[in-house]
Amino acid sequence: MTKQKVVFVAITKSGAQLCNRLAPQFPDADFKLMAKVMEHCEGQPNCSAIEGSVKQAVGDVFAAYEQLVFVVSIGAVVRLIAPHLKSKETDPGVVVIDDVGDFVIPVLSGHQGGANAFAEEIAAKLEAQVVFTTASEVGKTIAVDILGRELGWEVVAPKVNLVRVAADVVNQEKIALVQEAGGKDWWTRSTPIPTNITLFESFEEVDMNQFKSLLWITDREVPESLWSDLKERLVVYRPPKG
């Protein structure tokens, strides 16, 4: 995945030992530990002691990093990050790992913030289990708000459309997906495309009376009349040109 500003935070001996295992595998990340457990991350140049309280440290790193990884209980993490939450469009990804490294859990900004993808990366290095709670991952279906992101696609739709269409996708409503542009390798799951999603090669093939929502990958201009006619049922994706 694209290089991001990443910080790991640990406050216990076990957490520090886990960071000691991870530090060589994430050489560009920072590791911030409570001073009393720093000895358990000896020799790692990217490990440093937390100055002041954990609460203050979380406030500092929330604004400075794109991915925050806590080897801390989920309950404590929720309380620590709560005062800093703004929106899913701007908040960093937040991931929690248990003290022994068995489970990796994306907690915040799983899609737009990239926490789901980064959790998978961490889990692969730890040989751990990722615990997803986002509906598209659990249902092994399309994540409407980030479809084609790794291919450089731009999502074009009002926020309400994204919310409504994403709900239709995860609720297994009948969805038309039209692809008139861009690469065909956007489906990266090991499972087949869900049966509630029907693929088309052009918009003209689709009878919208048969489908709840439309995902349209195209270079065409979409007239305002169509946005109006389909109301909140349309999401458009623009692959890069050239």
Side-chain angles (χ1 to χ4, degrees):
M1 63 184 298
T2 304
K3 187 182 291 186
Q4 302 177 87
K5 291 188 67 177
V6 176
V7 63
F8 289 74
V9 178
I11 60 177
T12 65
K13 173 183 173 181
S14 297
Q17 291 172 335
L18 185 63
C19 287
N20 193 49
R21 288 170 55 193
L22 286 168
Q25 300 184 72
F26 292 93
D28 296 314
D30 293 327
F31 290 77
K32 296 189 179 295
L33 316 175
M34 292 294 288
K36 64 183 180 182
V37 299
M38 272 295 295
E39 64 183 283
H40 301 288
C41 201
E42 287 182 350
Q44 303 294 350
N46 44 351
C47 287
S48 62
I50 292 173
E51 301 292 341
S53 69
V54 176
K55 183 177 181 180
Q56 178 58 51
V58 170
D60 294 339
V61 299
F62 201 89
Y65 292 87
E66 295 166 281
Q67 295 294 333
L68 281 58
V69 184
F70 291 90
V71 192
V72 183
S73 75
I74 286 182
V77 170
V78 169
R79 294 180 191 280
L80 287 166
I81 67 174
H84 310 289
L85 302 181
K86 295 180 180 177
S87 74
K88 65 186 296 183
E89 289 78 24
T90 60
D91 289 338
V94 175
V95 175
V96 170
I97 310 174
D98 68 286
D99 259 14
V100 295
D102 286 339
F103 299 100
V104 183
I105 309 164
V107 172
L108 183 71
S109 297
H111 287 161
Q112 295 193 31
N116 286 355
F118 194 56
E120 289 185 301
E121 184 178 347
I122 296 169
K125 295 182 185 300
L126 289 174
E127 297 184 353
Q129 175 68 49
V130 182
V131 180
F132 289 121
T133 58
T134 43
S136 58
E137 274 69 30
V138 172
K140 295 179 171 50
T141 191
I142 289 173
V144 170
D145 53 348
I146 60 168
L147 177 63
R149 173 183 284 182
E150 294 188 356
L151 300 174
W153 296 2
E154 177 189 2
V155 184
V156 180
K159 185 174 180 178
V160 65
N161 290 42
L162 290 170
V163 173
R164 297 289 172 82
V165 175
D168 289 341
V169 169
V170 300
N171 287 327
Q172 301 183 4
E173 301 285 358
K174 293 185 68 176
I175 307 296
L177 189 150
V178 176
Q179 183 166 15
E180 300 174 336
K184 300 287 187 179
D185 52 345
W186 52 267
W187 182 254
T188 57
R189 300 190 191 279
S190 58
T191 52
I193 294 174
T195 56
N196 67 304
I197 298 172
T198 303
L199 305 183
F200 297 92
E201 294 185 353
S202 73
F203 174 76
E204 285 72 22
E205 298 176 37
V206 181
D207 177 1
M208 282 305 298
N209 293 318
Q210 303 299 316
F211 295 94
K212 188 71 177 290
S213 289
L214 170 65
L215 306 176
W216 191 6
I217 308 160
T218 187
D219 288 330
R220 295 199 221 181
E221 290 298 322
V222 180
E224 287 297 326
S225 58
L226 184 58
W227 287 104
S228 178
D229 290 344
L230 294 180
K231 296 184 179 177
E232 296 163 2
R233 302 163 61 198
L234 173 64
V235 175
V236 172
Y237 302 90
R238 301 286 191 200
K241 295 181 179 180

